[in-house]
Amino acid sequence: MRKIIHIDMDCFYAAIEVRDDPSLRGKPVAVGGKGGRGVVATCNYEARKFGVHSALPMKTALRLCPQLNVVNVNMDKYREASHIIRDIFQQYTDQVEPISLDEAYLDVTTSDVQDGSATLIAHQIRTEIYEATGLTASAGIAPNKLIAKIASDWRKPNGQFTVPPQDASSFVAQLPIGKLWGIGKVTRQKLNDRGIFTVSQLTELTFEQMIQQFGQYGRQLFDMVRGIDNREVKSHSKTKSVSVENTFENDLVTTQQKAQAIEKLVFQLMERLERNQLLPRVKKCSLKLRNYQFKTHTAEITTGCFLAESYQTLFQKLNAKDASPIRLIGVGVSIIDVEHFAAELPFIEEL
């Protein structure tokens, strides 16, 4: 039986800012852009009490929490802390699968540290992270990646939760359906409208019904609702793009028209990424402009997270080179570890 640990740092970016500026301790803090188009990259628990969350427009966050302390993103500082944390992981196993700067899976099945106890290994890793960085981490310990990730949220912040192999199916069965990977807000609401609220209710569907209701994702979902997940911890992640684009019936002529169109597309992209739990996995942001002569210009920037304001920066760069009327705009991101990507599961009406 495998022993999988999912480590998730607590409010990583915000925690680093509070660590480095003690005057922020105990106060609501959000990390993100301060401009009119700024977006919350992350926030601490004090801010979440007011309804602030990642991907929220900063102006909305400030309306919900006027006393919110907004700090600009400092990726160099976050990467430095992430490198220290990953070095700690490597001391326990070489089977480490980073999901983002602040999240990773570890397979410690063959480790003899702490007499092979994954629960004790997770506790020791969390202790070492705190001693090395001053930051807290939460952990989930389980026989597979699906349950380990869910379990890491169980005792947040600064805690851990273990799901023994014999409890895997019962643990998953009592979960609300929205906890399952691949079931987003739309599908969850439609299932709720049909009286389906817990995973145990989905286990009543046969394999054939799963395929009928959810298409090819039904194959994986059939296993997930039973606590089965055979995905391996892969130390080498892949990168793939997710994008949204629009071809306009009338060319966009003015700078304002172009900027507003980009802003709308960025929010569509952000909603798609949030729905599929991909916001923490963004590596790069990219912009594509095609003018009325079908000439295409592209630009990208490495951000390490989703920053909505970066697209306006890219636009200014491209517009300075070519300000001619625009026919097509595309906004995209490069996603790390695309194995975990699943589009919103299709929902068939005949449930």
Short mmCIF file of all heavy atoms in Angstrom, two decimals, residues 201-225:
data_model
loop_
_atom_site.label_atom_id
_atom_site.label_comp_id
_atom_site.label_asym_id
_atom_site.label_seq_id
_atom_site.Cartn_x
_atom_site.Cartn_y
_atom_site.Cartn_z
N GLN A 201 -23.86 9.41 -2.43
CA GLN A 201 -25.00 9.33 -3.35
C GLN A 201 -24.55 9.02 -4.77
O GLN A 201 -25.26 8.37 -5.53
CB GLN A 201 -25.79 10.65 -3.31
CG GLN A 201 -26.52 10.89 -2.00
CD GLN A 201 -27.16 12.26 -1.94
OE1 GLN A 201 -26.48 13.25 -1.72
NE2 GLN A 201 -28.46 12.30 -2.17
N LEU A 202 -23.33 9.49 -5.13
CA LEU A 202 -22.80 9.19 -6.46
C LEU A 202 -22.38 7.74 -6.59
O LEU A 202 -22.36 7.19 -7.69
CB LEU A 202 -21.61 10.10 -6.77
CG LEU A 202 -21.93 11.54 -7.16
CD1 LEU A 202 -20.64 12.34 -7.35
CD2 LEU A 202 -22.76 11.60 -8.44
N THR A 203 -22.05 7.10 -5.47
CA THR A 203 -21.65 5.69 -5.55
C THR A 203 -22.82 4.79 -5.95
O THR A 203 -22.62 3.63 -6.31
CB THR A 203 -21.08 5.20 -4.20
OG1 THR A 203 -22.10 5.30 -3.19
CG2 THR A 203 -19.88 6.01 -3.79
N GLU A 204 -24.01 5.32 -5.88
CA GLU A 204 -25.19 4.54 -6.27
C GLU A 204 -25.30 4.37 -7.78
O GLU A 204 -26.04 3.52 -8.27
CB GLU A 204 -26.45 5.20 -5.72
CG GLU A 204 -26.49 5.27 -4.19
CD GLU A 204 -27.66 6.09 -3.67
OE1 GLU A 204 -28.50 6.51 -4.50
OE2 GLU A 204 -27.73 6.32 -2.45
N LEU A 205 -24.53 5.21 -8.53
CA LEU A 205 -24.54 5.09 -9.99
C LEU A 205 -23.64 3.94 -10.43
O LEU A 205 -22.54 3.75 -9.91
CB LEU A 205 -24.05 6.39 -10.64
CG LEU A 205 -24.91 7.65 -10.42
CD1 LEU A 205 -24.24 8.84 -11.09
CD2 LEU A 205 -26.32 7.47 -10.96
N THR A 206 -24.10 3.17 -11.40
CA THR A 206 -23.28 2.10 -11.95
C THR A 206 -22.21 2.69 -12.86
O THR A 206 -22.26 3.87 -13.21
CB THR A 206 -24.13 1.12 -12.77
OG1 THR A 206 -24.65 1.81 -13.93
CG2 THR A 206 -25.29 0.57 -11.94
N PHE A 207 -21.24 1.86 -13.24
CA PHE A 207 -20.18 2.32 -14.15
C PHE A 207 -20.78 2.83 -15.45
O PHE A 207 -20.38 3.88 -15.96
CB PHE A 207 -19.20 1.17 -14.43
CG PHE A 207 -18.07 1.55 -15.34
CD1 PHE A 207 -17.00 2.30 -14.87
CD2 PHE A 207 -18.09 1.19 -16.68
CE1 PHE A 207 -15.95 2.66 -15.71
CE2 PHE A 207 -17.05 1.54 -17.53
CZ PHE A 207 -15.98 2.28 -17.04
N GLU A 208 -21.75 2.12 -15.98
CA GLU A 208 -22.39 2.53 -17.24
C GLU A 208 -23.10 3.87 -17.08
O GLU A 208 -23.06 4.72 -17.97
CB GLU A 208 -23.39 1.46 -17.70
CG GLU A 208 -22.76 0.16 -18.18
CD GLU A 208 -22.17 -0.68 -17.04
OE1 GLU A 208 -22.58 -0.47 -15.87
OE2 GLU A 208 -21.31 -1.54 -17.32
N GLN A 209 -23.76 4.07 -15.95
CA GLN A 209 -24.45 5.34 -15.70
C GLN A 209 -23.45 6.48 -15.56
O GLN A 209 -23.72 7.60 -16.00
CB GLN A 209 -25.31 5.22 -14.45
CG GLN A 209 -26.55 4.36 -14.62
CD GLN A 209 -27.29 4.14 -13.31
OE1 GLN A 209 -26.67 3.97 -12.26
NE2 GLN A 209 -28.62 4.14 -13.37
N MET A 210 -22.30 6.20 -14.95
CA MET A 210 -21.25 7.23 -14.82
C MET A 210 -20.80 7.69 -16.20
O MET A 210 -20.64 8.89 -16.45
CB MET A 210 -20.06 6.67 -14.04
CG MET A 210 -20.24 6.66 -12.55
SD MET A 210 -20.11 8.31 -11.84
CE MET A 210 -19.98 7.89 -10.09
N ILE A 211 -20.56 6.74 -17.10
CA ILE A 211 -20.12 7.09 -18.44
C ILE A 211 -21.22 7.87 -19.16
O ILE A 211 -20.95 8.87 -19.85
CB ILE A 211 -19.77 5.82 -19.25
CG1 ILE A 211 -18.62 5.06 -18.60
CG2 ILE A 211 -19.43 6.18 -20.70
CD1 ILE A 211 -17.33 5.84 -18.53
N GLN A 212 -22.45 7.46 -18.99
CA GLN A 212 -23.57 8.12 -19.63
C GLN A 212 -23.73 9.56 -19.13
O GLN A 212 -23.97 10.48 -19.91
CB GLN A 212 -24.86 7.35 -19.36
CG GLN A 212 -26.10 7.96 -20.03
CD GLN A 212 -27.37 7.20 -19.70
OE1 GLN A 212 -27.37 6.32 -18.84
NE2 GLN A 212 -28.46 7.54 -20.37
N GLN A 213 -23.59 9.75 -17.82
CA GLN A 213 -23.81 11.06 -17.24
C GLN A 213 -22.61 12.00 -17.41
O GLN A 213 -22.78 13.20 -17.60
CB GLN A 213 -24.13 10.93 -15.74
CG GLN A 213 -25.27 9.99 -15.39
CD GLN A 213 -26.58 10.38 -16.05
OE1 GLN A 213 -26.78 11.54 -16.39
NE2 GLN A 213 -27.46 9.43 -16.24
N PHE A 214 -21.37 11.44 -17.33
CA PHE A 214 -20.18 12.28 -17.28
C PHE A 214 -19.19 12.05 -18.41
O PHE A 214 -18.08 12.59 -18.38
CB PHE A 214 -19.47 12.09 -15.94
CG PHE A 214 -20.29 12.48 -14.75
CD1 PHE A 214 -20.95 11.53 -14.00
CD2 PHE A 214 -20.40 13.81 -14.38
CE1 PHE A 214 -21.70 11.88 -12.89
CE2 PHE A 214 -21.15 14.18 -13.28
CZ PHE A 214 -21.81 13.22 -12.53
N GLY A 215 -19.57 11.26 -19.41
CA GLY A 215 -18.66 11.02 -20.52
C GLY A 215 -17.42 10.27 -20.06
O GLY A 215 -17.45 9.47 -19.13
N GLN A 216 -16.26 10.55 -20.71
CA GLN A 216 -15.03 9.83 -20.39
C GLN A 216 -14.55 10.09 -18.96
O GLN A 216 -13.88 9.25 -18.36
CB GLN A 216 -13.93 10.22 -21.39
CG GLN A 216 -14.17 9.67 -22.78
CD GLN A 216 -14.31 8.15 -22.79
OE1 GLN A 216 -13.47 7.44 -22.23
NE2 GLN A 216 -15.37 7.66 -23.40
N TYR A 217 -14.90 11.25 -18.39
CA TYR A 217 -14.51 11.52 -17.02
C TYR A 217 -15.22 10.58 -16.04
O TYR A 217 -14.79 10.41 -14.91
CB TYR A 217 -14.81 12.97 -16.65
CG TYR A 217 -13.90 13.95 -17.32
CD1 TYR A 217 -14.40 14.88 -18.22
CD2 TYR A 217 -12.53 13.95 -17.07
CE1 TYR A 217 -13.57 15.78 -18.86
CE2 TYR A 217 -11.69 14.85 -17.70
CZ TYR A 217 -12.21 15.76 -18.59
OH TYR A 217 -11.39 16.65 -19.21
N GLY A 218 -16.31 9.99 -16.50
CA GLY A 218 -17.03 9.06 -15.66
C GLY A 218 -16.19 7.86 -15.26
O GLY A 218 -16.40 7.29 -14.18
N ARG A 219 -15.24 7.47 -16.11
CA ARG A 219 -14.36 6.35 -15.78
C ARG A 219 -13.54 6.65 -14.53
O ARG A 219 -13.43 5.83 -13.62
CB ARG A 219 -13.42 6.05 -16.95
CG ARG A 219 -14.13 5.63 -18.24
CD ARG A 219 -13.15 5.40 -19.37
NE ARG A 219 -13.84 5.03 -20.59
CZ ARG A 219 -14.19 3.78 -20.90
NH1 ARG A 219 -13.89 2.79 -20.07
NH2 ARG A 219 -14.82 3.52 -22.02
N GLN A 220 -12.95 7.84 -14.50
CA GLN A 220 -12.14 8.22 -13.34
C GLN A 220 -13.02 8.52 -12.14
O GLN A 220 -12.69 8.19 -11.00
CB GLN A 220 -11.28 9.43 -13.68
CG GLN A 220 -10.27 9.77 -12.60
CD GLN A 220 -9.25 10.79 -13.07
OE1 GLN A 220 -9.39 11.37 -14.14
NE2 GLN A 220 -8.23 11.01 -12.28
N LEU A 221 -14.16 9.16 -12.39
CA LEU A 221 -15.06 9.51 -11.30
C LEU A 221 -15.59 8.26 -10.59
O LEU A 221 -15.77 8.26 -9.37
CB LEU A 221 -16.22 10.34 -11.85
CG LEU A 221 -17.16 10.98 -10.82
CD1 LEU A 221 -16.39 11.92 -9.90
CD2 LEU A 221 -18.29 11.73 -11.52
N PHE A 222 -15.83 7.21 -11.35
CA PHE A 222 -16.31 5.95 -10.77
C PHE A 222 -15.34 5.45 -9.70
O PHE A 222 -15.74 4.96 -8.65
CB PHE A 222 -16.48 4.89 -11.86
CG PHE A 222 -17.05 3.60 -11.38
CD1 PHE A 222 -18.42 3.44 -11.20
CD2 PHE A 222 -16.22 2.52 -11.09
CE1 PHE A 222 -18.94 2.24 -10.73
CE2 PHE A 222 -16.73 1.31 -10.64
CZ PHE A 222 -18.10 1.17 -10.46
N ASP A 223 -14.04 5.57 -9.98
CA ASP A 223 -13.03 5.17 -9.00
C ASP A 223 -12.92 6.18 -7.86
O ASP A 223 -12.82 5.80 -6.68
CB ASP A 223 -11.66 5.03 -9.67
CG ASP A 223 -11.54 3.76 -10.50
OD1 ASP A 223 -12.34 2.82 -10.27
OD2 ASP A 223 -10.67 3.70 -11.38
N MET A 224 -12.93 7.46 -8.18
CA MET A 224 -12.74 8.49 -7.16
C MET A 224 -13.79 8.42 -6.07
O MET A 224 -13.47 8.58 -4.88
CB MET A 224 -12.74 9.88 -7.80
CG MET A 224 -11.49 10.22 -8.57
SD MET A 224 -11.31 12.00 -8.87
CE MET A 224 -12.76 12.34 -9.87
N VAL A 225 -15.06 8.23 -6.44
CA VAL A 225 -16.11 8.20 -5.41
C VAL A 225 -15.95 6.99 -4.49
O VAL A 225 -16.58 6.93 -3.43
CB VAL A 225 -17.52 8.21 -6.05
CG1 VAL A 225 -17.72 9.47 -6.87
CG2 VAL A 225 -17.76 6.96 -6.89
#
